Amino acid sequence: MVSGLKKHSNALKVVVGVAVCVALLMASYFRIQYVNTQLLSEQKQAVLDANGIEEIADSKEVIEQYGMGEPIDVAGCRDHDHLMQEGVTFSFSDPRFVTVDEMLSLTGGKWDMASLAGRSHDEYVYLLVDLTISNESDIPTSPLWFDVEAGSFSACHDESATEALNGYWVDENYHAENEFYWRAPAHSTHHMVVAFELWQVGMSSSQWAFVRDLNYKLVFRDYPRKIEVSLHS
């Protein structure tokens, strides 16, 4: 009787042992399958990402060319964290050159000339261009700034000069006046002046000799889109 119980107990242990082994094997199998699936998914994603990068690298720059006064649809253009909404157009007009003294007169003495301290005013010429923003949307526009280029020369807009020309400044308590001069309210048309500083140091000697005669264009890049506006059209 005792011998029979021992045999039964041993058989039970064998069955339990086999069941445990089978369970471990099954768990190991499913674990391997899961890991393989994850690796395959990551490999597929890596291929997709690589293809996306290749598509971006292979995409060509799309250049849109405009002349003075022509409306430019800037919907979808991104400048820093801002994305321009539908229904907004820009148009540039009346490019002209002014001296430092003329800038002072135009801004009524509100222009901060700290950057020119101790320098000859003859080293600077300012290019001014009128900008008209037409906003047919339900919200104010975001800022969207063009650079100026002429051959190898390139410069962004002069912030302090542009602010002063459009009646923007801060008082002694840092309270801003006309803070949103560059924004067109909803369903409105807004006019402003954009100033570019042409500095002798930033140009070659041959460029500076003909600083007022160079083939200037305003440029905005939002790859692959590039907008060019000729100032000589």
Side-chain angles (χ1 to χ4, degrees), residues 119-187:
R119 299 174 181 173
S120 170
H121 291 182
D122 293 336
E123 297 177 353
Y124 296 86
V125 172
Y126 286 83
L127 170 62
L128 308 184
V129 185
D130 289 345
L131 167 60
T132 299
I133 304 173
S134 178
N135 181 13
E136 298 179 359
S137 74
D138 296 328
I139 59 175
T141 58
S142 301
L144 197 66
W145 297 111
F146 281 65
D147 295 336
V148 65
E149 293 183 359
S152 60
F153 172 78
S154 177
C156 59
H157 77 284
D158 185 297
E159 185 173 10
S160 63
T162 300
E163 289 175 349
L165 285 167
N166 292 280
Y168 169 82
W169 60 86
V170 295
D171 62 19
E172 63 275 9
N173 297 314
Y174 299 98
H175 295 146
E177 297 185 30
N178 195 19
E179 183 176 2
F180 301 109
Y181 70 87
W182 39 259
R183 300 180 72 178
H187 302 287

Side-chain angles (χ1 to χ4, degrees), residues 86-130:
E86 295 287 338
V88 179
T89 58
F90 279 21
S91 64
F92 295 93
S93 61
D94 194 21
R96 65 269 192 200
F97 298 94
V98 298
T99 65
V100 172
D101 290 338
E102 289 171 331
M103 276 287 295
L104 284 171
S105 177
L106 288 170
T107 59
K110 297 292 186 178
W111 177 34
D112 181 8
M113 296 178 58
S115 63
L116 307 185
R119 299 174 181 173
S120 170
H121 291 182
D122 293 336
E123 297 177 353
Y124 296 86
V125 172
Y126 286 83
L127 170 62
L128 308 184
V129 185
D130 289 345

Side-chain angles (χ1 to χ4, degrees), residues 5 19 37 56 62 67 69-70 76 87 97 112 135 138 167 195 199 222 225:
L5 289 174
T37 301
I56 293 173
V62 179
E70 293 184 350
F97 298 94
D112 181 8
N135 181 13
D138 296 328
W199 186 20
D222 186 14
R225 187 182 185 188

